[in-house]
Amino acid sequence: MKMAAITASPPGRIDYYAQSLCPNTTTSATFKRVTGETLPGFPSQYEGERVWTGSKWLDPNLEKSYIVQIDKDDLLEVENALRHFQGLNVPPGLLSRDTFPLPKGLSHRLRKVSQDCYNGRGFAIVRGISPDRFTDEENVLVFGGISSYIAPTRGFQDVHRELVTCHVLSEDMRPGSKEQNLRPAFTNGRLAFHTDVGDILALHTLGVSDTGGETMIASACQIYNEMAESRHDLIQELAQNWAFFHSQDYYTDGTPLLTNAPGDKLVFQFSRLPITGFRSQGANPTLPPPSEKRLEAMAKVEELAWKHAFPLPREPGDMAYINNLCLMHARSAFDVDEEGNPLPSKRHLVKLMLQDPELAWELPQHLGWYLERVYGPNQEDGGRTEKWQLSVKDESLPDGRIWAGSGALSNG
């Protein structure tokens, strides 16, 4: 399938889509084997369930291990919980296990999703919620209610630290899109592998594209292990301070992309967007020009991530939960014509960034700003209020719809 059309980068600009980011990274064959000692405080190789290749999960016999199926009885309980919450006449920010009550059996199965994300393979899918059963607003409430059993703390997703929901839709064909400085997530184009900002990335599929649009995930532990065997110099580069946060609001000195949290838990936070920019929006102007070694490391991460990627199965209503600390994610291009130009698309995901205080990893001090920004209070009195967008429809706007992801904090 052809990629969606993109605007060519000006001379000297690094292309977001490019697999070759510098003269010495034209093909994987140019990567020279460089071995060395293990990074201080890191194991020589990571082990356990978080180390996997995508080919493993292509076995259809393993689907039951990572898909939680919502059956007819469960669906009735979910609908009863929704009606209970609606009857309380309270804002969505009060969605919780208490206000969205589910029976113990289903609650237990949903709690296991959190275990799988934090302590197991790193991902799971809840399947069986048909979007046609509910209104647009109710679908988002159901997503929030079910998610409260998996990881009850919701993260802010906008630069103002108010919004906890993000609607992921393509804006490529909307009038005025060129003036919006779109990020890749809100186009029909491919997304490079990256992480967002938070513990668990949750995606609720409300609409599926006709072609393409698969959410791809890859094990950062697998990528680390392979690089540690042959390109230790690039591992050392990734352990230096980088700015992986596309917003202007980040610590100037940057943050190491690689962290070994207590218990030998690899935390890998990465995005090429701050360094490459996208379309008319250049790279973060406060960043120094990247070295050739840094560009090489970026290219190698992208190569290995696609090599070991797993395309998540998707059906309308699927809720995917992905450990954002140790798994990277990307997306294939979707709904494009023969020339690669974007077409109208039904693809529509709702995103939450979650944390489970009971299972959350102990992170080092240099990531304290990360936790505070996403999950900390946003009120002067130390309180926390949430803003929800339950639908993209807004009759007060000229075309009847909000700009998806407007103000969103995203690395993709």
Side-chain angles (χ1 to χ4, degrees):
M1 183 178 63
K2 295 183 179 181
M3 300 294 182
I6 60 174
T7 304
S9 298
R13 172 84 61 85
I14 304 171
D15 187 353
Y16 170 83
Y17 286 109
Q19 294 191 5
S20 171
L21 295 174
C22 64
N24 292 334
T25 60
T26 53
T27 67
S28 60
T30 65
F31 290 113
K32 298 178 181 178
R33 184 179 180 87
V34 180
T35 58
E37 296 298 323
T38 303
L39 287 173
F42 285 74
S44 58
Q45 293 276 281
Y46 283 92
E47 299 177 348
E49 291 184 68
R50 288 186 292 275
V51 184
W52 48 259
T53 62
S55 58
K56 169 183 177 178
W57 302 112
L58 294 176
D59 182 350
N61 295 321
L62 292 180
E63 277 200 355
K64 289 184 179 180
S65 68
Y66 62 81
I67 292 180
V68 177
Q69 187 68 46
I70 301 295
D71 61 25
K72 291 182 179 179
D73 292 338
D74 297 328
L75 190 56
L76 181 60
E77 296 289 354
V78 169
E79 186 166 351
N80 289 339
L82 171 64
R83 304 308 172 204
H84 174 85
F85 179 79
Q86 291 174 319
L88 297 176
N89 197 29
V90 295
L94 292 182
L95 273 168
S96 69
R97 299 173 197 172
D98 292 330
T99 61
F100 195 91
L102 294 174
K104 287 185 178 180
L106 179 55
S107 172
H108 177 75
R109 286 154 59 204
L110 294 176
R111 287 297 300 145
K112 186 178 182 302
V113 171
S114 189
Q115 288 281 355
D116 290 338
C117 286
Y118 279 104
N119 300 324
R121 74 187 77 85
F123 69 94
I125 295 173
V126 175
R127 172 168 290 171
I129 304 293
S130 173
D132 294 337
R133 190 181 183 99
F134 305 107
T135 66
D136 292 349
E137 294 81 2
E138 288 174 342
N139 273 307
V140 178
L141 292 176
V142 167
F143 183 32
I146 286 177
S147 295
S148 67
Y149 286 83
I150 295 168
T153 304
R154 295 176 284 264
F156 297 118
Q157 296 194 62
D158 66 322
V159 295
H160 302 296
R161 302 183 67 246
E162 298 174 334
L163 194 63
V164 298
T165 55
C166 178
H167 292 264
V168 184
L169 295 152
S170 174
E171 305 284 18
D172 257 339
M173 300 189 69
R174 288 188 67 186
S177 62
K178 291 183 179 180
E179 289 73 42
Q180 290 293 323
N181 288 327
L182 296 178
R183 288 186 295 281
F186 305 103
T187 72
N188 290 49
R190 170 170 58 92
L191 280 184
F193 270 96
H194 64 285
T195 57
D196 286 328
V197 186
D199 281 25
I200 294 179
L201 166 67
L203 298 171
H204 185 20
T205 301
L206 297 185
V208 178
S209 51
D210 291 331
T211 60
E214 296 91 353
T215 295
M216 316 292 293
I217 59 174
S219 163
C221 292
Q222 177 67 33
I223 295 169
Y224 176 96
N225 286 353
E226 196 159 329
M227 292 180 73
E229 285 185 347
S230 60
R231 289 308 306 268
H232 190 266
D233 60 322
L234 299 185
I235 286 286
Q236 291 178 322
E237 183 64 33
L238 293 171
Q240 302 301 311
N241 285 344
W242 290 51
F244 62 86
F245 204 15
H246 188 57
S247 167
Q248 295 298 312
D249 185 4
Y250 71 96
Y251 281 1
T252 304
D253 291 336
T255 303
L257 300 188
L258 293 171
T259 299
N260 189 45
D264 276 348
K265 297 181 175 72
L266 176 64
V267 178
F268 185 28
Q269 300 294 277
F270 176 82
S271 172
R272 63 167 51 193
L273 188 59
I275 293 176
T276 67
F278 183 68
R279 294 187 178 176
S280 61
Q281 186 175 13
N284 186 323
T286 67
L287 297 181
S291 66
E292 187 171 301
K293 181 68 71 176
R294 187 150 294 193
L295 293 174
E296 192 176 6
M298 291 167 60
K300 188 62 173 175
V301 167
E302 184 78 353
E303 176 197 323
L304 291 178
W306 282 101
K307 174 184 175 182
H308 298 302
F310 172 55
L312 284 176
R314 55 187 181 141
E315 294 182 3
D318 278 0
M319 300 177 186
Y321 297 88
I322 303 164
N323 185 321
N324 182 67
L325 301 176
C326 69
L327 300 187
M328 303 176 70
H329 63 279
R331 182 192 68 206
S332 62
F334 62 94
D335 292 341
V336 294
D337 64 18
E338 290 299 320
E339 286 71 43
N341 299 306
L343 297 170
S345 179
K346 299 185 294 292
R347 190 179 190 275
H348 181 185
L349 277 63
V350 180
K351 183 174 80 168
L352 294 173
M353 295 304 303
L354 307 172
Q355 184 185 68
D356 183 354
E358 295 180 20
L359 298 177
W361 294 357
E362 180 184 349
L363 298 181
Q365 187 175 2
H366 69 252
L367 290 178
W369 65 271
Y370 170 112
L371 296 174
E372 182 65 20
R373 177 178 183 89
V374 180
Y375 300 112
N378 62 348
Q379 301 296 303
E380 291 184 1
D381 62 1
R384 197 173 188 277
T385 60
E386 297 178 355
K387 180 180 177 181
W388 289 60
Q389 287 180 340
L390 298 181
S391 173
V392 295
K393 298 176 182 176
D394 189 336
E395 295 180 358
S396 66
L397 297 177
D399 60 357
R401 183 165 77 75
I402 65 168
W403 276 93
S406 179
L409 199 63
S410 174
N411 278 337

